[in-house]
Amino acid sequence: MPVNLLDEPELDSEAKQATWTLNFGPQHPATHTTLRLILELDGERIVKATPHIGYLHSGFEKLGEHLNYNQYVTIVDRKNYISPPMNEVAWHHTVEKLLGVELTPRCQYIRVIIGELGRISDHLLCTGAAALDLGAFTAFLYAFNLREQIYDVYEEMSGYRFHPGYTRVGGVLYDFNDRVLDRIKRVLTSFVKVYSDMSKLLFRNRIFLDRMRGVGKLSKADAIGMSCTGPVARASGVHVDLRKDAPYLAYPEFDFEVPYCEEGDCWARFMVRMEEMKQSVRIIEQAMAKLPSGPVNLPIAEKLNIPDKATTYNSMEGLIQHFELVMPNRGFESPVDEVYAAVEGPNGELGYYLVADGTEFGWRVRTRPPSFIHFSVFPHIIKNHMLADIVAVLGSLSIIAAELDR
Amino acid sequence: MSAAPTTEPAVPSAASEAILTQLNAAIADAAPCVTRFRDNIRIFVAPDRLIEVLTALKEKCGCAFLSELGGADYLKYPGARKGPRFEVHYVLRNLDTMGFVVVKAGVDDPDPTLPSVYGLWPGCDWMEREVFDMYGIRFEGHPDLRRILMPDEFVAFPLRKDYPLRGRGERHNFPRLTREES
């Protein structure tokens, strides 16, 4: 019999008088961005938390109806700005499913690599910031330093450091060159040291352990009922990973494991993320070793992707294709139909419900954002905890405000 | 120009088809209108049978997981589409077999209303609030149907197709809070 978290016991009038209200946010040093919580407190114990979101609402979904499938990649980057490549992979995965095209093997491997780099980058920030919020500053610096090296990879592969905008319909912007591969290797080498440093600093740290263990417990039944996915669900024992269970791209070709826990508290979520980073490194290592040669983009006969400069300037077909895709009243055709596709993002199922109207503009671009759903769980798992536990629970859910509001 | 598929388009997996078979066995005439596209199976249901079908999917077909819930506005949608203006989709997943189906329910102006699935999946809480906020579709039985992304004093529904990209000037008419009165 699953416990219903949502039935809150009514306070008697005497207890109600004793509570007081505290505004946590909209900006708080412990939250990455704008989150506002209205807390009803009994002393320092949280009786009720009411999240208010919408401070960053930028109309990303409305913009999706006015930008074409290639242009919109710059917007999806900004949804989860902690791991932009994964958003790009998710978006173009959906568009390609709509169009019914299959990527070249090299492109699939490249997308796996950048997606997993994004996952490492996201988990580094999440675990590092969890440590920072609970007073362990050094671990955060180590984590952030490695993120810089991942940004170096983005910079080398696309020219942009923070929002690469690297994928295209049917391919990617440029092929990997040797310098990109070198920088990825450097990330993989540094990761070993960073992981070992972080584990030495945190895994046996009494303060850190005591503030994470048993805090913000989420049972397995509630995790399923509340639509949780990703590390949050896996820390509660829901053993589901779309990379394994609904494979996409080249994931079936890699050997990796899906870490999970049963406890469902902040510590479990932290440890699942730490373990997932190691698995991501395993995937990248295999992908680098087996990286197929060949084109990254679909051939121009597909009439989907913008041809590279050499093809554009040196062949008639390339020139025509470039013109057709760039001119505002041209572009490719899509089926008049709709499709839902999801990938395993760093925080969970990252899906798009895409309604197409025959043009290269989406009719409806609905994002299924993991943070949004995990934040709706927050008021239920924070109940009866102390005020100081908020930062531990918020950090362990990895809430990204831009993804909340879209 | 057309996007010619290079390979065979993905077809719904056996696990997804099994859900449909189980649903048809569970309630007669549950899914009179089913379409398949790529690996999606879409089941269109009438709003008054929505809860019945979703309950059957959850309890008899093992779709314990509500993956996603969202709305769409089909005002002036091209093609031969006839039907209600709005549609709300529910993506349900069977966590054991990993099959999934999309259930769609249509509602129309002037008072788009659907029953809330809060009793089945509490996780729909914020997703239904967002559909309400963006499209004005009300969910009957939702315990706390408030605006979630837009401010409370906002009157329009921004993701409707007849709402202009630049807004209607609502932003300029918001009450301004000064430091003294905040």
Side-chain angles (χ1 to χ4, degrees):
Chain A
M1 170 71 195
V3 183
N4 186 5
L5 284 173
L6 303 164
D7 285 338
E8 38 193 272
E10 274 298 309
L11 288 174
D12 53 36
S13 56
E14 200 176 319
K16 211 163 201 166
Q17 276 172 359
T19 63
W20 55 292
T21 309
L22 178 75
N23 277 299
F24 187 94
Q27 281 209 311
H28 187 275
T31 64
H32 308 158
T33 34
T34 46
L35 299 172
R36 185 182 180 208
L37 290 169
I38 296 176
L39 303 171
E40 207 176 312
L41 295 165
D42 172 20
E44 273 198 62
R45 194 175 59 84
I46 295 157
V47 179
K48 192 181 177 198
T50 315
H52 281 245
I53 63 172
Y55 288 90
L56 285 174
H57 187 220
S58 326
F60 284 171
E61 289 185 356
K62 187 90 172 172
L63 281 168
E65 300 168 1
H66 294 84
L67 293 174
N68 71 33
Y69 296 147
N70 274 325
Q71 290 170 331
Y72 192 55
V73 78
T74 57
I75 302 292
V76 300
D77 268 348
R78 283 148 177 85
K79 279 179 190 160
N80 185 345
Y81 50 80
I82 306 301
S83 54
M86 195 49 109
N87 296 279
E88 295 169 10
V89 171
W91 165 241
H92 277 139
H93 174 66
T94 312
V95 174
E96 280 143 14
K97 180 160 280 181
L98 174 84
L99 298 173
V101 292
E102 178 104 355
L103 294 171
T104 62
R106 186 173 174 87
C107 180
Q108 295 195 7
Y109 271 63
I110 285 181
R111 285 200 184 174
V112 167
I113 291 174
I114 63 167
E116 294 304 320
L117 278 176
R119 187 185 316 277
I120 295 174
S121 154
D122 192 300
H123 287 351
L124 275 174
L125 184 89
C126 182
T127 51
L132 171 72
D133 294 344
L134 301 183
F137 190 51
T138 319
F140 174 73
L141 284 180
Y142 287 148
F144 223 77
N145 194 31
L146 184 58
R147 274 171 62 84
E148 287 298 317
Q149 293 185 16
I150 295 176
Y151 289 150
D152 287 344
V153 178
Y154 298 166
E155 189 178 10
E156 194 63 58
M157 75 184 186
S158 69
Y160 292 89
R161 207 170 160 74
F162 207 68
H163 298 295
Y166 184 61
T167 61
R168 292 289 180 273
V169 180
V172 293
L173 178 55
Y174 308 115
D175 197 355
F176 274 0
N177 57 30
D178 291 342
R179 289 192 305 278
V180 179
L181 297 176
D182 284 346
R183 297 214 163 167
I184 295 173
K185 277 180 199 137
R186 214 179 72 190
V187 170
L188 298 183
T189 332
S190 317
F191 176 81
V192 179
K193 180 81 170 68
V194 170
Y195 185 87
S196 128
D197 284 343
M198 284 181 79
S199 58
K200 276 181 211 151
L201 281 166
L202 297 175
F203 287 4
R204 281 152 52 82
N205 184 327
R206 176 57 40 205
I207 301 171
F208 191 66
L209 281 171
D210 285 353
R211 290 201 56 188
M212 299 284 265
R213 268 199 202 143
V215 174
K217 271 194 177 250
L218 181 67
S219 70
K220 182 174 177 180
D222 286 327
I224 294 176
M226 299 293 287
S227 301
C228 293
T229 46
V232 175
R234 285 196 285 278
S236 299
V238 187
H239 189 227
V240 168
D241 189 318
L242 294 181
R243 291 177 293 175
K244 281 272 190 209
D245 299 322
Y248 55 94
L249 294 179
Y251 278 109
E253 295 166 34
F254 302 118
D255 176 33
F256 65 102
E257 276 158 35
V258 178
Y260 68 100
C261 283
E262 303 287 343
E263 283 81 6
D265 54 2
C266 290
W267 178 246
R269 290 192 277 273
F270 175 82
M271 286 308 287
V272 165
R273 287 205 169 85
M274 290 299 280
E275 195 57 41
E276 266 189 26
M277 284 198 281
K278 278 161 72 178
Q279 300 300 328
S280 290
V281 167
R282 264 178 81 184
I283 295 173
I284 297 176
E285 274 168 354
Q286 293 171 43
M288 297 269 287
K290 294 198 286 188
L291 190 63
S293 57
V296 282
N297 286 320
L298 292 174
I300 54 170
E302 293 285 341
K303 302 185 172 183
L304 280 177
N305 39 349
I306 295 183
D308 56 31
K309 291 298 171 208
T311 320
T312 307
Y313 293 136
N314 298 324
S315 75
M316 201 61 215
E317 292 74 26
L319 186 64
I320 293 171
Q321 174 61 12
H322 193 277
F323 179 83
E324 292 275 353
L325 284 180
V326 167
M327 292 306 284
N329 55 348
R330 304 291 179 115
F332 53 80
E333 286 172 9
S334 59
V336 186
D337 216 317
E338 48 200 74
V339 74
Y340 175 76
V343 300
E344 184 71 30
N347 291 326
E349 181 176 337
L350 177 59
Y352 281 93
Y353 195 89
L354 177 59
V355 182
D357 59 353
T359 65
E360 56 178 336
F361 294 84
W363 182 262
R364 168 75 170 115
V365 181
R366 153 80 182 160
T367 322
R368 190 267 186 212
S371 289
F372 184 72
I373 286 147
H374 293 158
F375 199 34
S376 72
V377 179
F378 175 77
H380 307 302
I381 61 176
I382 196 64
K383 227 171 261 175
N384 291 326
H385 281 305
M386 291 294 154
L387 181 58
D389 293 329
I390 286 180
V391 289
V393 177
L394 262 184
S396 75
L397 292 176
S398 186
I399 307 295
I400 313 295
E403 197 177 68
L404 282 180
D405 301 2
R406 290 175 312 294
Chain B
M1 302 177 70
S2 66
T6 44
T7 52
E8 286 294 305
V11 287
S13 66
S16 304
E17 293 284 0
I19 295 174
L20 195 60
T21 320
Q22 284 167 338
L23 176 67
N24 281 327
I27 30 176
D29 195 31
C33 185
V34 176
T35 55
R36 291 174 179 77
F37 182 66
R38 308 296 179 218
D39 63 348
N40 290 18
I41 294 180
R42 280 195 302 269
I43 305 170
F44 292 87
V45 293
D48 52 342
R49 295 198 68 187
L50 179 67
I51 293 295
E52 184 193 345
V53 170
L54 290 179
T55 312
L57 278 168
K58 183 185 175 189
E59 282 160 11
K60 304 228 174 78
C61 315
C63 292
F65 192 75
L66 175 73
S67 229
E68 128 90 355
L69 190 165
D73 181 2
Y74 292 91
L75 184 72
K76 294 178 189 155
Y77 184 68
R81 187 181 179 280
K82 285 195 198 75
R85 175 174 172 185
F86 301 105
E87 273 179 12
V88 175
H89 59 260
Y90 305 79
V91 180
L92 306 182
R93 213 181 272 282
N94 183 333
L95 290 182
D96 299 320
T97 64
M98 286 312 277
F100 76 101
V101 288
V102 182
V103 177
K104 296 208 82 177
V107 278
D108 219 335
D109 271 341
D111 181 27
T113 309
L114 276 177
S116 170
V117 295
Y118 193 83
L120 295 169
W121 294 283
C124 74
D125 182 358
W126 283 24
M127 295 191 263
E128 286 188 346
R129 276 176 69 187
E130 194 190 344
V131 175
F132 165 70
D133 193 358
M134 292 292 143
Y135 289 101
I137 300 172
R138 286 192 303 108
F139 291 91
E140 242 152 43
H142 190 286
D144 185 25
L145 198 63
R146 287 180 290 128
R147 282 191 176 268
I148 187 164
L149 298 179
M150 309 307 285
D152 290 338
E153 53 274 19
F154 203 84
V155 288
F157 301 110
L159 274 182
R160 287 191 175 191
K161 280 287 174 183
D162 50 7
Y163 187 80
L165 190 60
R166 288 166 177 244
R168 294 204 181 102
E170 289 91 347
R171 276 183 65 167
H172 305 291
N173 298 321
F174 282 165
R176 199 163 286 189
L177 285 181
T178 60
R179 185 163 283 278
E180 284 73 42
E181 54 191 308
S182 66

